[in-house]
Amino acid sequence: MDASTEELRDAHNVLSEWYAENLVGVLESMPVERAMLDLFAELTLTVGAEVADVGCGTGRLLPYLASRGLSPRGVDLSPGMVQVARREHPGFGYEVADLRQLPFGDASLAGVVCWYSLIFLAPGARVRAFAELARVVRPGGYLVAAFKHGDGTGHRNGPGSRVGSLGIDFDRYWLSAREMEDRFTAAGFALVFQGEAPPEDEGPRYGYMLVRKTGSANA
């Protein structure tokens, strides 16, 4: 594991309990995010029910996905996040894994959720990560991503931030919608829907992208 990935893992181990305490009920107050997940669920169910939340954090999305008829599993780089997910949202399968080496067989999933989990990909990791996502989604399956708009350069939180106050930091990369679409296309996906929402503060705009794995669902 490289130093940047190790830093990201360790930081999210520290953040896991904060996330568990402070993100409860957040989805209920975000109708755009619910709408994106609903659209993903409706389309994915035409292919199958088996989906994975890649970068699942505390597992907060899995009950919602299950309520939409899907059979979700969770994957996260952070063992601390997975431990909290198993405690807070039992009844689902969780594994510790890197986005670039997922514990799923080829074309084994009808869909994948990447909810703000692609914002940690350094430039050199992006081709492999998008290819790995394409590997596990079957032809005709879907992937939905939430991200933050930017130019792809790295950002640090800084000592005055909430994260910095915990004595941790890590790199984040806010990608443009154009780069997101181009990378999905290069990996073998086709754009279905793209949208955005204004930020809650002075930060970047929220972006949402739904893509479909190319090829026949009956292949």
Side-chain angles (χ1 to χ4, degrees):
M1 182 180 293
D2 62 80
S4 178
T5 303
E6 185 174 1
E7 179 185 55
L8 180 66
R9 179 201 62 191
D10 293 347
H12 281 78
N13 285 340
V14 174
L15 284 168
S16 59
E17 292 295 344
W18 188 94
Y19 276 26
E21 294 173 7
N22 291 277
L23 295 184
V24 175
V26 169
L27 187 62
E28 285 74 7
S29 66
M30 303 185 78
V32 173
E33 301 216 340
R34 295 198 310 274
M36 284 301 305
L37 293 171
D38 289 349
L39 178 59
F40 165 76
E42 183 174 350
L43 291 174
T44 299
L45 284 170
T46 65
V47 181
E50 307 84 4
V51 301
D53 183 356
V54 175
C56 67
T58 59
R60 66 187 181 91
L61 295 186
L62 271 70
Y64 189 84
L65 296 172
S67 76
R68 276 18 190 196
L70 298 170
S71 299
R73 292 180 277 176
V75 170
D76 202 275
L77 177 68
S78 161
M81 287 288 187
V82 168
Q83 182 178 0
V84 169
R86 288 170 175 160
R87 182 192 73 207
E88 297 294 318
H89 304 289
F92 301 102
Y94 300 97
E95 295 186 62
V96 176
D98 192 306
L99 168 60
R100 296 164 293 183
Q101 192 172 1
L102 295 171
F104 308 120
D106 295 353
S108 60
L109 299 174
V112 166
V113 175
C114 293
W115 222 238
Y116 302 105
S117 54
L118 302 179
I119 65 174
F120 306 114
L121 291 172
R126 292 171 195 167
V127 170
R128 180 179 175 186
F130 280 80
E132 181 69 350
L133 292 169
R135 179 186 69 81
V136 301
V137 178
R138 68 182 59 126
Y142 292 87
L143 183 151
V144 66
F147 60 101
K148 293 185 178 183
H149 283 275
D151 60 5
T153 58
H155 300 265
R156 303 283 287 185
N157 295 285
S161 66
R162 179 177 63 235
V163 169
S165 69
L166 297 173
I168 57 176
D169 210 344
F170 47 87
D171 296 321
R172 296 168 297 163
Y173 301 87
W174 299 328
L175 305 185
S176 68
R178 170 53 59 192
E179 180 174 354
M180 290 283 289
E181 182 181 354
D182 287 347
R183 290 193 178 276
F184 278 128
T185 299
F189 291 97
L191 181 66
V192 175
F193 179 83
Q194 175 191 327
E196 64 179 62
E200 297 177 353
D201 48 32
E202 297 301 318
R205 291 170 294 136
Y206 296 109
Y208 306 96
M209 193 165 288
L210 179 66
V211 295
R212 182 179 184 271
K213 179 75 177 294
T214 56
S216 171
N218 297 317

mmCIF file of all heavy atoms in Angstrom, residues 155-201:
data_model
loop_
_atom_site.group_PDB
_atom_site.id
_atom_site.type_symbol
_atom_site.label_atom_id
_atom_site.label_comp_id
_atom_site.label_asym_id
_atom_site.label_seq_id
_atom_site.Cartn_x
_atom_site.Cartn_y
_atom_site.Cartn_z
ATOM 1 N N HIS A 155 -6.390 18.595 -3.236
ATOM 2 C CA HIS A 155 -6.729 19.519 -2.162
ATOM 3 C C HIS A 155 -6.418 18.841 -0.838
ATOM 4 O O HIS A 155 -6.606 17.638 -0.684
ATOM 5 C CB HIS A 155 -8.214 19.890 -2.186
ATOM 6 C CG HIS A 155 -8.667 20.559 -3.443
ATOM 7 N ND1 HIS A 155 -8.749 21.917 -3.585
ATOM 8 C CD2 HIS A 155 -9.064 20.048 -4.637
ATOM 9 C CE1 HIS A 155 -9.177 22.224 -4.791
ATOM 10 N NE2 HIS A 155 -9.378 21.099 -5.458
ATOM 11 N N ARG A 156 -5.974 19.638 0.121
ATOM 12 C CA ARG A 156 -5.803 19.176 1.497
ATOM 13 C C ARG A 156 -6.772 19.958 2.380
ATOM 14 O O ARG A 156 -7.163 21.074 2.056
ATOM 15 C CB ARG A 156 -4.372 19.402 1.981
ATOM 16 C CG ARG A 156 -3.298 18.751 1.141
ATOM 17 C CD ARG A 156 -3.186 17.272 1.393
ATOM 18 N NE ARG A 156 -2.577 16.955 2.672
ATOM 19 C CZ ARG A 156 -2.282 15.699 3.054
ATOM 20 N NH1 ARG A 156 -2.550 14.677 2.242
ATOM 21 N NH2 ARG A 156 -1.741 15.462 4.223
ATOM 22 N N ASN A 157 -7.158 19.383 3.493
ATOM 23 C CA ASN A 157 -8.128 20.027 4.362
ATOM 24 C C ASN A 157 -7.525 21.178 5.164
ATOM 25 O O ASN A 157 -8.155 22.201 5.358
ATOM 26 C CB ASN A 157 -8.724 18.997 5.321
ATOM 27 C CG ASN A 157 -9.538 17.944 4.589
ATOM 28 O OD1 ASN A 157 -10.643 18.184 4.152
ATOM 29 N ND2 ASN A 157 -8.959 16.751 4.435
ATOM 30 N N GLY A 158 -6.302 21.012 5.653
ATOM 31 C CA GLY A 158 -5.645 22.064 6.410
ATOM 32 C C GLY A 158 -5.931 21.972 7.896
ATOM 33 O O GLY A 158 -6.940 21.399 8.327
ATOM 34 N N PRO A 159 -5.062 22.552 8.722
ATOM 35 C CA PRO A 159 -5.183 22.432 10.183
ATOM 36 C C PRO A 159 -6.412 23.122 10.761
ATOM 37 O O PRO A 159 -6.877 22.757 11.838
ATOM 38 C CB PRO A 159 -3.893 23.093 10.696
ATOM 39 C CG PRO A 159 -3.447 23.981 9.576
ATOM 40 C CD PRO A 159 -3.855 23.291 8.323
ATOM 41 N N GLY A 160 -6.968 24.128 10.077
ATOM 42 C CA GLY A 160 -8.129 24.828 10.607
ATOM 43 C C GLY A 160 -9.451 24.166 10.282
ATOM 44 O O GLY A 160 -10.502 24.623 10.738
ATOM 45 N N SER A 161 -9.437 23.089 9.528
ATOM 46 C CA SER A 161 -10.676 22.408 9.134
ATOM 47 C C SER A 161 -11.121 21.446 10.219
ATOM 48 O O SER A 161 -10.404 21.153 11.169
ATOM 49 C CB SER A 161 -10.447 21.634 7.831
ATOM 50 O OG SER A 161 -9.529 20.580 8.048
ATOM 51 N N ARG A 162 -12.361 20.930 10.038
ATOM 52 C CA ARG A 162 -12.871 19.934 10.977
ATOM 53 C C ARG A 162 -11.985 18.700 10.989
ATOM 54 O O ARG A 162 -11.671 18.148 12.047
ATOM 55 C CB ARG A 162 -14.303 19.552 10.591
ATOM 56 C CG ARG A 162 -14.926 18.493 11.491
ATOM 57 C CD ARG A 162 -16.368 18.227 11.100
ATOM 58 N NE ARG A 162 -16.451 17.694 9.744
ATOM 59 C CZ ARG A 162 -17.196 18.228 8.779
ATOM 60 N NH1 ARG A 162 -17.898 19.309 9.006
ATOM 61 N NH2 ARG A 162 -17.233 17.679 7.580
ATOM 62 N N VAL A 163 -11.575 18.259 9.809
ATOM 63 C CA VAL A 163 -10.695 17.101 9.721
ATOM 64 C C VAL A 163 -9.342 17.404 10.340
ATOM 65 O O VAL A 163 -8.784 16.607 11.102
ATOM 66 C CB VAL A 163 -10.542 16.661 8.247
ATOM 67 C CG1 VAL A 163 -9.424 15.639 8.106
ATOM 68 C CG2 VAL A 163 -11.845 16.087 7.727
ATOM 69 N N GLY A 164 -8.807 18.587 10.019
ATOM 70 C CA GLY A 164 -7.517 18.962 10.573
ATOM 71 C C GLY A 164 -7.514 19.037 12.079
ATOM 72 O O GLY A 164 -6.500 18.750 12.737
ATOM 73 N N SER A 165 -8.649 19.432 12.668
ATOM 74 C CA SER A 165 -8.736 19.524 14.127
ATOM 75 C C SER A 165 -8.619 18.163 14.800
ATOM 76 O O SER A 165 -8.340 18.080 16.000
ATOM 77 C CB SER A 165 -10.054 20.186 14.530
ATOM 78 O OG SER A 165 -11.167 19.346 14.242
ATOM 79 N N LEU A 166 -8.841 17.104 14.027
ATOM 80 C CA LEU A 166 -8.696 15.740 14.555
ATOM 81 C C LEU A 166 -7.270 15.222 14.399
ATOM 82 O O LEU A 166 -6.980 14.079 14.750
ATOM 83 C CB LEU A 166 -9.664 14.798 13.837
ATOM 84 C CG LEU A 166 -11.157 15.093 14.021
ATOM 85 C CD1 LEU A 166 -11.999 14.190 13.128
ATOM 86 C CD2 LEU A 166 -11.562 14.921 15.483
ATOM 87 N N GLY A 167 -6.396 16.061 13.847
ATOM 88 C CA GLY A 167 -4.999 15.671 13.683
ATOM 89 C C GLY A 167 -4.753 14.787 12.485
ATOM 90 O O GLY A 167 -3.751 14.062 12.446
ATOM 91 N N ILE A 168 -5.637 14.839 11.503
ATOM 92 C CA ILE A 168 -5.489 14.004 10.315
ATOM 93 C C ILE A 168 -5.650 14.867 9.073
ATOM 94 O O ILE A 168 -6.153 15.992 9.137
ATOM 95 C CB ILE A 168 -6.532 12.862 10.272
ATOM 96 C CG1 ILE A 168 -7.957 13.441 10.341
ATOM 97 C CG2 ILE A 168 -6.286 11.861 11.395
ATOM 98 C CD1 ILE A 168 -9.056 12.414 10.212
ATOM 99 N N ASP A 169 -5.242 14.337 7.943
ATOM 100 C CA ASP A 169 -5.453 14.993 6.657
ATOM 101 C C ASP A 169 -5.275 13.959 5.560
ATOM 102 O O ASP A 169 -4.738 12.864 5.787
ATOM 103 C CB ASP A 169 -4.483 16.164 6.457
ATOM 104 C CG ASP A 169 -5.077 17.265 5.584
ATOM 105 O OD1 ASP A 169 -6.090 16.991 4.910
ATOM 106 O OD2 ASP A 169 -4.515 18.380 5.569
ATOM 107 N N PHE A 170 -5.740 14.293 4.355
ATOM 108 C CA PHE A 170 -5.625 13.385 3.219
ATOM 109 C C PHE A 170 -5.913 14.177 1.953
ATOM 110 O O PHE A 170 -6.472 15.280 2.002
ATOM 111 C CB PHE A 170 -6.598 12.203 3.345
ATOM 112 C CG PHE A 170 -8.000 12.584 3.709
ATOM 113 C CD1 PHE A 170 -8.931 12.921 2.730
ATOM 114 C CD2 PHE A 170 -8.395 12.610 5.042
ATOM 115 C CE1 PHE A 170 -10.221 13.277 3.067
ATOM 116 C CE2 PHE A 170 -9.701 12.969 5.395
ATOM 117 C CZ PHE A 170 -10.607 13.301 4.405
ATOM 118 N N ASP A 171 -5.524 13.606 0.831
ATOM 119 C CA ASP A 171 -5.719 14.261 -0.462
ATOM 120 C C ASP A 171 -7.121 14.008 -0.994
ATOM 121 O O ASP A 171 -7.655 12.906 -0.876
ATOM 122 C CB ASP A 171 -4.704 13.737 -1.482
ATOM 123 C CG ASP A 171 -3.273 14.078 -1.105
ATOM 124 O OD1 ASP A 171 -3.054 15.191 -0.606
ATOM 125 O OD2 ASP A 171 -2.382 13.231 -1.316
ATOM 126 N N ARG A 172 -7.690 15.048 -1.609
ATOM 127 C CA ARG A 172 -8.964 14.934 -2.316
ATOM 128 C C ARG A 172 -8.792 15.539 -3.704
ATOM 129 O O ARG A 172 -8.048 16.511 -3.873
ATOM 130 C CB ARG A 172 -10.072 15.679 -1.570
ATOM 131 C CG ARG A 172 -10.399 15.120 -0.206
ATOM 132 C CD ARG A 172 -11.283 16.092 0.555
ATOM 133 N NE ARG A 172 -10.591 17.359 0.791
ATOM 134 C CZ ARG A 172 -11.204 18.486 1.136
ATOM 135 N NH1 ARG A 172 -12.518 18.523 1.244
ATOM 136 N NH2 ARG A 172 -10.510 19.595 1.352
ATOM 137 N N TYR A 173 -9.506 14.988 -4.662
ATOM 138 C CA TYR A 173 -9.408 15.457 -6.048
ATOM 139 C C TYR A 173 -10.817 15.643 -6.595
ATOM 140 O O TYR A 173 -11.543 14.675 -6.794
ATOM 141 C CB TYR A 173 -8.646 14.444 -6.907
ATOM 142 C CG TYR A 173 -7.246 14.166 -6.425
ATOM 143 C CD1 TYR A 173 -7.008 13.180 -5.471
ATOM 144 C CD2 TYR A 173 -6.167 14.896 -6.915
ATOM 145 C CE1 TYR A 173 -5.728 12.924 -5.024
ATOM 146 C CE2 TYR A 173 -4.878 14.646 -6.467
ATOM 147 C CZ TYR A 173 -4.668 13.665 -5.522
ATOM 148 O OH TYR A 173 -3.392 13.410 -5.074
ATOM 149 N N TRP A 174 -11.203 16.893 -6.840
ATOM 150 C CA TRP A 174 -12.515 17.180 -7.384
ATOM 151 C C TRP A 174 -12.405 17.220 -8.902
ATOM 152 O O TRP A 174 -11.739 18.083 -9.469
ATOM 153 C CB TRP A 174 -13.027 18.502 -6.830
ATOM 154 C CG TRP A 174 -13.161 18.472 -5.331
ATOM 155 C CD1 TRP A 174 -13.482 17.388 -4.560
ATOM 156 C CD2 TRP A 174 -12.967 19.552 -4.417
ATOM 157 N NE1 TRP A 174 -13.512 17.720 -3.234
ATOM 158 C CE2 TRP A 174 -13.202 19.049 -3.112
ATOM 159 C CE3 TRP A 174 -12.631 20.912 -4.572
ATOM 160 C CZ2 TRP A 174 -13.101 19.855 -1.976
ATOM 161 C CZ3 TRP A 174 -12.541 21.704 -3.447
ATOM 162 C CH2 TRP A 174 -12.777 21.185 -2.165
ATOM 163 N N LEU A 175 -13.075 16.283 -9.556
ATOM 164 C CA LEU A 175 -12.960 16.133 -11.004
ATOM 165 C C LEU A 175 -14.074 16.878 -11.725
ATOM 166 O O LEU A 175 -15.183 17.030 -11.207
ATOM 167 C CB LEU A 175 -13.011 14.651 -11.392
ATOM 168 C CG LEU A 175 -11.998 13.716 -10.723
ATOM 169 C CD1 LEU A 175 -12.123 12.326 -11.324
ATOM 170 C CD2 LEU A 175 -10.592 14.241 -10.862
ATOM 171 N N SER A 176 -13.790 17.306 -12.929
ATOM 172 C CA SER A 176 -14.825 17.921 -13.759
ATOM 173 C C SER A 176 -15.763 16.841 -14.282
ATOM 174 O O SER A 176 -15.403 15.659 -14.388
ATOM 175 C CB SER A 176 -14.188 18.655 -14.939
ATOM 176 O OG SER A 176 -13.603 17.729 -15.836
ATOM 177 N N ALA A 177 -16.976 17.258 -14.631
ATOM 178 C CA ALA A 177 -17.925 16.317 -15.228
ATOM 179 C C ALA A 177 -17.379 15.766 -16.540
ATOM 180 O O ALA A 177 -17.595 14.596 -16.875
ATOM 181 C CB ALA A 177 -19.270 17.006 -15.454
ATOM 182 N N ARG A 178 -16.644 16.578 -17.282
ATOM 183 C CA ARG A 178 -16.062 16.122 -18.531
ATOM 184 C C ARG A 178 -15.058 15.004 -18.292
ATOM 185 O O ARG A 178 -15.073 13.987 -18.994
ATOM 186 C CB ARG A 178 -15.394 17.299 -19.251
ATOM 187 C CG ARG A 178 -14.530 16.900 -20.462
ATOM 188 C CD ARG A 178 -15.272 16.037 -21.464
ATOM 189 N NE ARG A 178 -16.441 16.698 -21.988
ATOM 190 C CZ ARG A 178 -17.387 16.098 -22.707
ATOM 191 N NH1 ARG A 178 -17.298 14.797 -22.952
ATOM 192 N NH2 ARG A 178 -18.414 16.775 -23.169
ATOM 193 N N GLU A 179 -14.190 15.165 -17.297
ATOM 194 C CA GLU A 179 -13.221 14.100 -17.023
ATOM 195 C C GLU A 179 -13.918 12.844 -16.523
ATOM 196 O O GLU A 179 -13.561 11.729 -16.918
ATOM 197 C CB GLU A 179 -12.160 14.537 -16.008
ATOM 198 C CG GLU A 179 -11.160 13.414 -15.730
ATOM 199 C CD GLU A 179 -9.992 13.797 -14.852
ATOM 200 O OE1 GLU A 179 -9.855 14.991 -14.515
ATOM 201 O OE2 GLU A 179 -9.200 12.897 -14.516
ATOM 202 N N MET A 180 -14.918 13.018 -15.677
ATOM 203 C CA MET A 180 -15.658 11.847 -15.190
ATOM 204 C C MET A 180 -16.259 11.083 -16.366
ATOM 205 O O MET A 180 -16.111 9.852 -16.469
ATOM 206 C CB MET A 180 -16.757 12.295 -14.230
ATOM 207 C CG MET A 180 -16.262 12.813 -12.896
ATOM 208 S SD MET A 180 -15.741 11.485 -11.771
ATOM 209 C CE MET A 180 -17.321 10.766 -11.340
ATOM 210 N N GLU A 181 -16.953 11.786 -17.249
ATOM 211 C CA GLU A 181 -17.581 11.117 -18.390
ATOM 212 C C GLU A 181 -16.536 10.473 -19.297
ATOM 213 O O GLU A 181 -16.712 9.327 -19.753
ATOM 214 C CB GLU A 181 -18.429 12.102 -19.188
ATOM 215 C CG GLU A 181 -19.149 11.440 -20.359
ATOM 216 C CD GLU A 181 -19.987 12.399 -21.175
ATOM 217 O OE1 GLU A 181 -20.123 13.569 -20.785
ATOM 218 O OE2 GLU A 181 -20.515 11.966 -22.231
ATOM 219 N N ASP A 182 -15.457 11.177 -19.560
ATOM 220 C CA ASP A 182 -14.413 10.627 -20.431
ATOM 221 C C ASP A 182 -13.818 9.356 -19.844
ATOM 222 O O ASP A 182 -13.556 8.384 -20.574
ATOM 223 C CB ASP A 182 -13.311 11.656 -20.656
ATOM 224 C CG ASP A 182 -13.743 12.797 -21.581
ATOM 225 O OD1 ASP A 182 -14.799 12.670 -22.235
ATOM 226 O OD2 ASP A 182 -13.017 13.808 -21.651
ATOM 227 N N ARG A 183 -13.597 9.351 -18.547
ATOM 228 C CA ARG A 183 -13.002 8.163 -17.929
ATOM 229 C C ARG A 183 -13.980 6.993 -17.894
ATOM 230 O O ARG A 183 -13.597 5.840 -18.101
ATOM 231 C CB ARG A 183 -12.470 8.504 -16.541
ATOM 232 C CG ARG A 183 -11.242 9.408 -16.589
ATOM 233 C CD ARG A 183 -10.523 9.506 -15.271
ATOM 234 N NE ARG A 183 -9.332 10.344 -15.402
ATOM 235 C CZ ARG A 183 -8.155 9.930 -15.838
ATOM 236 N NH1 ARG A 183 -7.999 8.656 -16.208
ATOM 237 N NH2 ARG A 183 -7.118 10.749 -15.909
ATOM 238 N N PHE A 184 -15.241 7.277 -17.647
ATOM 239 C CA PHE A 184 -16.234 6.206 -17.715
ATOM 240 C C PHE A 184 -16.342 5.662 -19.137
ATOM 241 O O PHE A 184 -16.414 4.440 -19.343
ATOM 242 C CB PHE A 184 -17.598 6.718 -17.238
ATOM 243 C CG PHE A 184 -17.764 6.727 -15.751
ATOM 244 C CD1 PHE A 184 -18.178 7.881 -15.090
ATOM 245 C CD2 PHE A 184 -17.534 5.587 -15.001
ATOM 246 C CE1 PHE A 184 -18.347 7.892 -13.716
ATOM 247 C CE2 PHE A 184 -17.703 5.587 -13.627
ATOM 248 C CZ PHE A 184 -18.104 6.743 -12.978
ATOM 249 N N THR A 185 -16.345 6.538 -20.116
ATOM 250 C CA THR A 185 -16.439 6.102 -21.506
ATOM 251 C C THR A 185 -15.245 5.234 -21.888
ATOM 252 O O THR A 185 -15.404 4.177 -22.519
ATOM 253 C CB THR A 185 -16.523 7.322 -22.444
ATOM 254 O OG1 THR A 185 -17.693 8.080 -22.125
ATOM 255 C CG2 THR A 185 -16.590 6.887 -23.897
ATOM 256 N N ALA A 186 -14.053 5.656 -21.500
ATOM 257 C CA ALA A 186 -12.845 4.888 -21.813
ATOM 258 C C ALA A 186 -12.861 3.517 -21.153
ATOM 259 O O ALA A 186 -12.287 2.555 -21.685
ATOM 260 C CB ALA A 186 -11.604 5.671 -21.380
ATOM 261 N N ALA A 187 -13.532 3.412 -20.004
ATOM 262 C CA ALA A 187 -13.588 2.137 -19.285
ATOM 263 C C ALA A 187 -14.672 1.209 -19.812
ATOM 264 O O ALA A 187 -14.720 0.035 -19.438
ATOM 265 C CB ALA A 187 -13.808 2.401 -17.792
ATOM 266 N N GLY A 188 -15.567 1.726 -20.661
ATOM 267 C CA GLY A 188 -16.599 0.867 -21.237
ATOM 268 C C GLY A 188 -18.014 1.162 -20.772
ATOM 269 O O GLY A 188 -18.892 0.303 -20.863
ATOM 270 N N PHE A 189 -18.240 2.372 -20.272
ATOM 271 C CA PHE A 189 -19.578 2.796 -19.868
ATOM 272 C C PHE A 189 -20.107 3.853 -20.842
ATOM 273 O O PHE A 189 -19.333 4.528 -21.518
ATOM 274 C CB PHE A 189 -19.557 3.413 -18.459
ATOM 275 C CG PHE A 189 -19.270 2.447 -17.341
ATOM 276 C CD1 PHE A 189 -17.982 2.314 -16.831
ATOM 277 C CD2 PHE A 189 -20.284 1.689 -16.780
ATOM 278 C CE1 PHE A 189 -17.713 1.446 -15.797
ATOM 279 C CE2 PHE A 189 -20.030 0.814 -15.731
ATOM 280 C CZ PHE A 189 -18.735 0.686 -15.240
ATOM 281 N N ALA A 190 -21.422 4.009 -20.864
ATOM 282 C CA ALA A 190 -22.064 5.057 -21.658
ATOM 283 C C ALA A 190 -22.908 5.918 -20.729
ATOM 284 O O ALA A 190 -23.588 5.412 -19.827
ATOM 285 C CB ALA A 190 -22.948 4.448 -22.743
ATOM 286 N N LEU A 191 -22.874 7.215 -20.949
ATOM 287 C CA LEU A 191 -23.610 8.147 -20.101
ATOM 288 C C LEU A 191 -25.116 7.971 -20.271
ATOM 289 O O LEU A 191 -25.629 7.906 -21.377
ATOM 290 C CB LEU A 191 -23.213 9.580 -20.449
ATOM 291 C CG LEU A 191 -23.885 10.685 -19.627
ATOM 292 C CD1 LEU A 191 -23.449 10.624 -18.175
ATOM 293 C CD2 LEU A 191 -23.581 12.054 -20.222
ATOM 294 N N VAL A 192 -25.815 7.915 -19.142
ATOM 295 C CA VAL A 192 -27.277 7.865 -19.126
ATOM 296 C C VAL A 192 -27.855 9.192 -18.634
ATOM 297 O O VAL A 192 -28.791 9.730 -19.214
ATOM 298 C CB VAL A 192 -27.778 6.717 -18.220
ATOM 299 C CG1 VAL A 192 -29.307 6.740 -18.101
ATOM 300 C CG2 VAL A 192 -27.295 5.372 -18.745
ATOM 301 N N PHE A 193 -27.294 9.707 -17.555
ATOM 302 C CA PHE A 193 -27.792 10.951 -16.972
ATOM 303 C C PHE A 193 -26.676 11.643 -16.214
ATOM 304 O O PHE A 193 -25.846 10.992 -15.571
ATOM 305 C CB PHE A 193 -28.956 10.673 -16.021
ATOM 306 C CG PHE A 193 -29.504 11.918 -15.371
ATOM 307 C CD1 PHE A 193 -30.431 12.713 -16.023
ATOM 308 C CD2 PHE A 193 -29.077 12.294 -14.104
ATOM 309 C CE1 PHE A 193 -30.926 13.866 -15.424
ATOM 310 C CE2 PHE A 193 -29.566 13.446 -13.503
ATOM 311 C CZ PHE A 193 -30.497 14.235 -14.162
ATOM 312 N N GLN A 194 -26.685 12.966 -16.292
ATOM 313 C CA GLN A 194 -25.726 13.780 -15.552
ATOM 314 C C GLN A 194 -26.453 14.971 -14.964
ATOM 315 O O GLN A 194 -27.288 15.599 -15.620
ATOM 316 C CB GLN A 194 -24.600 14.261 -16.478
ATOM 317 C CG GLN A 194 -23.616 15.224 -15.833
ATOM 318 C CD GLN A 194 -22.711 15.862 -16.868
ATOM 319 O OE1 GLN A 194 -22.373 15.248 -17.869
ATOM 320 N NE2 GLN A 194 -22.336 17.115 -16.636
ATOM 321 N N GLY A 195 -26.174 15.298 -13.712
ATOM 322 C CA GLY A 195 -26.811 16.445 -13.082
ATOM 323 C C GLY A 195 -25.891 17.062 -12.051
ATOM 324 O O GLY A 195 -24.801 16.561 -11.780
ATOM 325 N N GLU A 196 -26.330 18.164 -11.490
ATOM 326 C CA GLU A 196 -25.541 18.820 -10.465
ATOM 327 C C GLU A 196 -26.464 19.564 -9.519
ATOM 328 O O GLU A 196 -27.646 19.786 -9.805
ATOM 329 C CB GLU A 196 -24.533 19.779 -11.075
ATOM 330 C CG GLU A 196 -25.136 20.943 -11.833
ATOM 331 C CD GLU A 196 -24.057 21.869 -12.384
ATOM 332 O OE1 GLU A 196 -23.244 21.412 -13.205
ATOM 333 O OE2 GLU A 196 -24.039 23.046 -11.980
ATOM 334 N N ALA A 197 -25.930 19.927 -8.370
ATOM 335 C CA ALA A 197 -26.668 20.678 -7.364
ATOM 336 C C ALA A 197 -25.729 21.711 -6.758
ATOM 337 O O ALA A 197 -24.515 21.485 -6.683
ATOM 338 C CB ALA A 197 -27.208 19.751 -6.282
ATOM 339 N N PRO A 198 -26.256 22.848 -6.330
ATOM 340 C CA PRO A 198 -25.396 23.875 -5.750
ATOM 341 C C PRO A 198 -24.824 23.419 -4.413
ATOM 342 O O PRO A 198 -25.430 22.593 -3.720
ATOM 343 C CB PRO A 198 -26.340 25.066 -5.569
ATOM 344 C CG PRO A 198 -27.697 24.461 -5.472
ATOM 345 C CD PRO A 198 -27.674 23.267 -6.363
ATOM 346 N N PRO A 199 -23.671 23.951 -4.040
ATOM 347 C CA PRO A 199 -23.072 23.577 -2.755
ATOM 348 C C PRO A 199 -23.851 24.171 -1.592
ATOM 349 O O PRO A 199 -24.601 25.143 -1.745
ATOM 350 C CB PRO A 199 -21.664 24.175 -2.841
ATOM 351 C CG PRO A 199 -21.831 25.360 -3.746
ATOM 352 C CD PRO A 199 -22.858 24.940 -4.760
ATOM 353 N N GLU A 200 -23.667 23.593 -0.415
ATOM 354 C CA GLU A 200 -24.320 24.112 0.781
ATOM 355 C C GLU A 200 -23.594 25.341 1.316
ATOM 356 O O GLU A 200 -24.155 26.121 2.080
ATOM 357 C CB GLU A 200 -24.379 23.025 1.854
ATOM 358 C CG GLU A 200 -25.213 21.812 1.450
ATOM 359 C CD GLU A 200 -25.189 20.720 2.494
ATOM 360 O OE1 GLU A 200 -24.420 20.843 3.470
ATOM 361 O OE2 GLU A 200 -25.948 19.749 2.347
ATOM 362 N N ASP A 201 -22.332 25.494 0.947
ATOM 363 C CA ASP A 201 -21.544 26.627 1.418
ATOM 364 C C ASP A 201 -20.732 27.171 0.245
ATOM 365 O O ASP A 201 -21.217 27.206 -0.873
ATOM 366 C CB ASP A 201 -20.657 26.214 2.597
ATOM 367 C CG ASP A 201 -19.902 24.915 2.305
ATOM 368 O OD1 ASP A 201 -19.561 24.673 1.118
ATOM 369 O OD2 ASP A 201 -19.654 24.143 3.247
#
